[in-house]
């Protein structure tokens, strides 16, 4: 089986079997973090999965295109009136237009050749457009703690959850910038969001909403060690 399609199946299985409350919470905070950088009226979301960020994006843009390799996940996204769904792998997608804003969250860690994918996406962006990219962070506090506990050999080792999600790698800010620059982009801004000292399950079981919000707010003081990192790019 093609390796890319195998990753799609692994992702489908994860979403079918997993309890994702805190993943959705992180997606909410991801939207809040990226929203100030949105531009124009025509946007593309790459890899929306089951649409946990799409539900916010539809309110921000006049038209929103989606490209998703999993047909099963794409079906879970409502048929919003301003949305066009495209069931295609990134490597196969051929848009008929260019976009003011392209958002890709939690996708680049899933692809075999990230620089090639980034180069391809760059051709879909308008000359004055913006590309917003977010991925999980290898240098997150919870991964660093796992190393000290002997659960990981280093922050970059793929854990069980990474494998179940179909990850090829875990980025830090430096490595993410390296791939973005190699693909020809200009970095406008980089940063991190959500300081996460524990696993998703521990947070879901033990934390109050006030604690969850507090660790989002304090994340701005420790961007290199947040759970998620992002880069804002232009051509």
């Amino acid at each position: 089986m093609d390796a890319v399609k195998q990753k799609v199946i692994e992702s489908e299985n994860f979403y079918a079997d997993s309890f994702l409350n805190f993943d959705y919470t992180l997606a909410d905070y991801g939207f809040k973090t990226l929203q100030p950088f949105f531009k124009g009226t025509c946007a593309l979301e790459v890899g929306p999965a089951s649409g946990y960020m799409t539900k916010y994006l539809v309110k921000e843009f006049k038209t929103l295109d989606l490209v998703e390799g999993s047909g099963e996940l794409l079906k879970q996204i409502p048929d919003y009136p301003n949305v066009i769904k495209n069931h295609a792998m990134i490597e196969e997608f051929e848009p008929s237009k260019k976009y003011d804003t392209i958002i890709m969250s939690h996708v680049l860690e899933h692809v075999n050749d990230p620089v090639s994918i980034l180069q391809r996406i760059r051709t879909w962006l308008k000359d004055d457009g913006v590309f917003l990219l977010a991925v999980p962070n290898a240098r997150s506090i919870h991964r660093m703690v796992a190393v000290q506990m002997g659960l990981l050999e280093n922050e970059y080792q793929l854990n069980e959850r990474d494998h179940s999600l179909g990850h090829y790698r875990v980025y830090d800010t430096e490595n993410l910038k390296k791939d973005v620059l190699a693909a020809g982009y200009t970095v406008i801004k980089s940063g991190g969001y959500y300081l996460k000292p524990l696993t998703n399950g521990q947070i879901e079981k033990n934390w109050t909403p006030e604690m969850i919000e507090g660790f989002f707010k304090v994340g701005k003081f420790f961007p290199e060690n947040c759970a998620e990192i992002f880069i804002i790019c232009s051509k």
Side-chain angles (χ1 to χ4, degrees):
M1 179 182 293
D2 180 87
V4 174
K5 292 182 180 179
Q6 177 62 39
K7 293 296 180 183
V8 171
I9 292 172
E10 291 172 358
S11 181
E12 288 176 348
N13 291 339
F14 177 85
Y15 280 92
D17 297 338
S18 294
F19 183 64
L20 294 171
N21 282 1
F22 194 70
D23 293 88
Y24 293 140
T25 299
L26 283 178
D28 293 347
Y29 287 129
F31 170 78
K32 290 179 182 179
T33 301
L34 298 178
Q35 184 184 26
F37 304 100
F38 293 166
K39 189 173 185 178
T41 61
C42 178
L44 170 69
E45 185 182 9
V46 181
S50 57
Y52 43 79
M53 190 181 292
T54 310
K55 65 181 180 291
Y56 299 119
L57 297 177
V58 295
K59 301 174 185 178
E60 299 292 323
F61 299 98
K62 184 177 180 180
T63 61
L64 176 66
D65 289 4
L66 310 176
V67 56
E68 170 58 55
S70 168
E72 291 303 312
L73 293 179
L74 201 60
K75 289 177 184 177
Q76 297 180 36
I77 301 174
D79 293 322
Y80 300 107
N82 59 330
V83 165
I84 296 175
K85 299 180 184 180
N86 298 278
H87 179 205
M89 307 302 295
I90 301 172
E91 298 87 346
E92 302 165 352
F93 182 53
E94 296 286 352
S96 60
K97 57 189 172 186
K98 295 194 175 185
Y99 301 94
D100 300 307
T101 297
I102 298 177
I103 304 105
M104 186 166 76
S105 178
H106 282 231
V107 174
L108 200 62
E109 67 274 17
H110 292 267
V111 304
N112 184 44
D113 187 350
V115 173
S116 175
I117 291 295
L118 290 170
Q119 289 172 331
R120 184 173 181 80
I121 291 172
R122 189 174 181 273
T123 67
W124 306 341
L125 195 63
K126 290 183 180 180
D127 289 342
D128 60 348
V130 64
F131 177 40
L132 315 178
L133 174 64
V135 296
N137 184 15
R139 299 285 295 167
S140 174
I141 291 293
H142 80 287
R143 293 185 70 94
M144 297 175 71
V145 170
V147 173
Q148 297 304 314
M149 293 173 64
L151 301 176
L152 293 174
E153 293 180 5
N154 57 68
E155 293 92 342
Y156 305 92
Q157 181 185 359
L158 297 179
N159 59 29
E160 183 178 347
R161 195 167 195 268
D162 290 316
H163 287 297
S164 67
L165 269 168
H167 291 174
Y168 280 98
R169 68 195 64 79
V170 189
Y171 279 101
D172 62 19
T173 301
E174 181 180 350
N175 289 331
L176 184 59
K177 282 185 179 179
K178 182 179 178 181
D179 281 356
V180 166
L181 293 172
Y185 293 90
T186 297
V187 174
I188 299 172
K189 182 179 176 62
S190 65
Y193 60 93
Y194 209 88
L195 194 66
K196 179 187 168 190
L198 302 173
T199 67
N200 284 14
Q202 290 167 326
I203 292 171
E204 290 167 351
K205 183 177 180 180
N206 298 301
W207 283 18
T208 65
E210 292 78 13
M211 292 171 67
I212 290 173
E213 179 71 12
F215 274 84
F216 169 63
K217 291 179 177 178
V218 81
K220 64 185 177 182
F221 301 115
F222 307 96
E224 295 297 317
N225 298 116
C226 282
E228 314 284 320
I229 49 178
F230 69 89
I231 291 186
I232 312 302
C233 316
S234 68
K235 279 190 166 182

